[in-house]
Amino acid sequence: MSVRIDIAGLRPERVAVVPSPLAELGMALHALSEPGHHPGLQGWVTGVSAGLDPHLADRMCDADFLWTTTFSDLFLPYAGLPGGAVPGATLAEELDLLDKLTDEQFVDAALEFSCAMSYGVGAGWLVDAALGRRALDLAAARGPRQERFTELLLTDPPKIRAWLRQFLEDCDEAFFAEAWSRLRHQLTADARHKTELLRRKGLAEALSAASPAVTLDEAAAEITVDKLSVGRTTTGDGAFLLVPTSLGWPHLAVLYRPGWQPVLHYPVGSPELAAPPSVEQLALRMTALSHPVRMRMCRYLARSAYTTSELAQAHGMTAPEISRHLGVLKKAGLVTTRRRGRYVQHQLDISVVARLGSDFLEGILR
């Protein structure tokens, strides 16, 4: 499973790495709503939540579905504008870009989370009565807040747009302006570094530096983002944006909405010391450990190194049976093998197993 971006014909000057205050505000709202996704931000979340005006906190709940799951494409409005628009230098500039989206674009992006609409279904919500009724039915299943929001979104988009802009401006005044004054330096430095990589070593190096989960097949002119989702988009004659986030780990987001330019929203300063495993490798490891015989073998292999014969004797199994189970564990990267004289010994890689919890979290939230 992955998201693929066709970049055939994409000119080097149409690739940009630019920080986005609006995208970072979206991640800030997400972290405040889902602190469990971001254990490293617990102190910041606690401090902001404690100092939040109760009225603003209530308003934050009115449409939190736009940023709780991850966050809506509305926080990347420049991707929906023609002509290869890029993020603004200030939040005010980016809110002006948000105002430039058509009502149809705004509604289409907002419906993704307000009524669990499939990503990139397309336009027509404001002119097709049947589509509108479907959206309201789906929103009702999500809850009364989503139903009220969706109804107003479909009947009076300008009112929702004005509400959202005012809410984001109030969030900026309450807590985000102070956070952005600190975060923008790291993001600017990262963008400068990735831009230099683009210039000196090419797109493949810049993507790899952004995340090991992003690769470029130059022959096929295609970028692949390893995620537990499936999607496809193209840059066409447009541009490709990389937007860094300081608050975003472990989320690696890809905007691939039809008609919008692709955006890779990647975390900087990830706490991961080693490259995270691919989704396929993570699945292999989880499957390998799910078998009761291999779980019992791991109990032995975690404590010491054993030969195949020793494991066979301990488990009352034949050597070929043990070898097959060891092969599964080794293919998943969970067991190391070393030779001592004429004996081959196997041992569990404790460091890999110890990371499985965080790797699993990173994989499903990526």
Side-chain angles (χ1 to χ4, degrees), residues 189-227:
D190 183 84
R192 189 182 303 117
H193 171 62
K194 299 295 190 303
T195 300
E196 185 66 10
L197 280 177
L198 275 170
R199 187 182 67 82
R200 295 177 58 238
K201 297 188 176 182
L203 181 58
E205 285 287 334
L207 293 173
S208 178
S211 171
V214 186
T215 56
L216 170 65
D217 183 337
E218 296 192 26
E222 185 175 75
I223 297 169
T224 299
V225 186
D226 185 47
K227 288 173 65 71

Side-chain angles (χ1 to χ4, degrees), residues 321-337:
E321 287 174 322
I322 291 294
S323 292
R324 283 195 293 272
H325 286 298
L326 282 171
V328 173
L329 292 169
K330 283 191 281 188
K331 184 178 180 181
L334 297 169
V335 166
T336 60
T337 299

Side-chain angles (χ1 to χ4, degrees), residues 167-213:
F167 168 72
L168 295 175
E169 289 173 342
D170 291 345
C171 286
D172 184 47
E173 182 179 348
F175 64 86
F176 183 69
E178 187 275 332
W180 181 248
S181 69
R182 295 180 291 103
L183 298 175
R184 65 185 177 87
H185 300 294
Q186 180 192 25
L187 297 178
T188 300
D190 183 84
R192 189 182 303 117
H193 171 62
K194 299 295 190 303
T195 300
E196 185 66 10
L197 280 177
L198 275 170
R199 187 182 67 82
R200 295 177 58 238
K201 297 188 176 182
L203 181 58
E205 285 287 334
L207 293 173
S208 178
S211 171

Side-chain angles (χ1 to χ4, degrees), residues 230-273:
V230 178
R232 180 174 288 277
T233 188
T234 178
T235 55
D237 59 357
F240 176 53
L241 290 176
L242 291 88
V243 176
T245 168
S246 289
L247 302 176
W249 188 89
H251 303 299
L252 175 66
V254 188
L255 188 157
Y256 56 96
R257 184 175 297 280
W260 293 42
Q261 65 180 335
V263 178
L264 179 71
H265 190 226
Y266 67 93
V268 302
S270 165
E272 291 294 314
L273 298 179

Side-chain angles (χ1 to χ4, degrees), residues 25-26 57 64 71 98 100 112 135 182 200 207 220 223 228 239 251-252 257 280 282-283 286 294 323 330 332:
L25 175 52
D64 60 359
F71 69 102
L98 179 61
K100 291 182 180 180
E112 179 190 354
R182 295 180 291 103
R200 295 177 58 238
L207 293 173
I223 297 169
L228 276 170
H251 303 299
L252 175 66
R257 184 175 297 280
E280 180 183 6
L282 179 60
M286 303 295 283
R294 292 194 284 271
S323 292
K330 283 191 281 188

Side-chain angles (χ1 to χ4, degrees), residues 55-244:
H55 179 58
L56 181 60
D58 288 342
R59 290 163 62 204
M60 193 176 293
C61 295
D62 287 342
D64 60 359
F65 38 83
L66 292 179
W67 49 78
T68 298
T69 304
T70 50
F71 69 102
S72 170
D73 289 347
L74 292 174
F75 291 98
L76 305 166
Y78 29 84
L81 300 176
V86 297
T90 66
L91 181 65
E93 289 178 23
E94 292 203 312
L95 291 176
D96 289 343
L97 294 177
L98 179 61
D99 287 343
K100 291 182 180 180
L101 292 178
T102 66
D103 282 349
E104 196 67 62
Q105 286 178 303
F106 185 93
V107 169
D108 184 41
L111 283 176
E112 179 190 354
F113 295 128
S114 62
C115 60
M117 187 61 62
S118 297
Y119 187 71
V121 166
W125 307 107
L126 298 178
V127 295
D128 189 322
L131 278 178
R133 287 193 298 271
R134 181 187 175 205
L136 285 171
D137 288 342
L138 290 171
R142 303 290 292 173
R145 289 187 301 113
Q146 288 91 328
E147 184 178 19
R148 287 194 300 271
F149 182 90
T150 300
E151 184 173 8
L152 190 56
L153 184 67
L154 293 171
T155 57
D156 193 356
K159 185 171 183 178
I160 287 289
R161 299 182 71 156
W163 176 89
L164 181 61
R165 174 160 186 150
Q166 186 61 60
F167 168 72
L168 295 175
E169 289 173 342
D170 291 345
C171 286
D172 184 47
E173 182 179 348
F175 64 86
F176 183 69
E178 187 275 332
W180 181 248
S181 69
R182 295 180 291 103
L183 298 175
R184 65 185 177 87
H185 300 294
Q186 180 192 25
L187 297 178
T188 300
D190 183 84
R192 189 182 303 117
H193 171 62
K194 299 295 190 303
T195 300
E196 185 66 10
L197 280 177
L198 275 170
R199 187 182 67 82
R200 295 177 58 238
K201 297 188 176 182
L203 181 58
E205 285 287 334
L207 293 173
S208 178
S211 171
V214 186
T215 56
L216 170 65
D217 183 337
E218 296 192 26
E222 185 175 75
I223 297 169
T224 299
V225 186
D226 185 47
K227 288 173 65 71
L228 276 170
S229 57
V230 178
R232 180 174 288 277
T233 188
T234 178
T235 55
D237 59 357
F240 176 53
L241 290 176
L242 291 88
V243 176

Side-chain angles (χ1 to χ4, degrees), residues 11-84:
R11 301 194 305 274
E13 66 271 17
R14 301 287 279 171
V15 182
V17 190
V18 190
S20 167
L22 181 55
E24 199 68 353
L25 175 52
M27 286 310 314
L29 290 168
H30 169 65
L32 290 168
S33 299
E34 283 287 2
H37 287 194
H38 305 272
L41 298 177
Q42 186 173 1
W44 178 81
V45 167
T46 301
V48 171
S49 299
L52 213 55
D53 175 76
H55 179 58
L56 181 60
D58 288 342
R59 290 163 62 204
M60 193 176 293
C61 295
D62 287 342
D64 60 359
F65 38 83
L66 292 179
W67 49 78
T68 298
T69 304
T70 50
F71 69 102
S72 170
D73 289 347
L74 292 174
F75 291 98
L76 305 166
Y78 29 84
L81 300 176

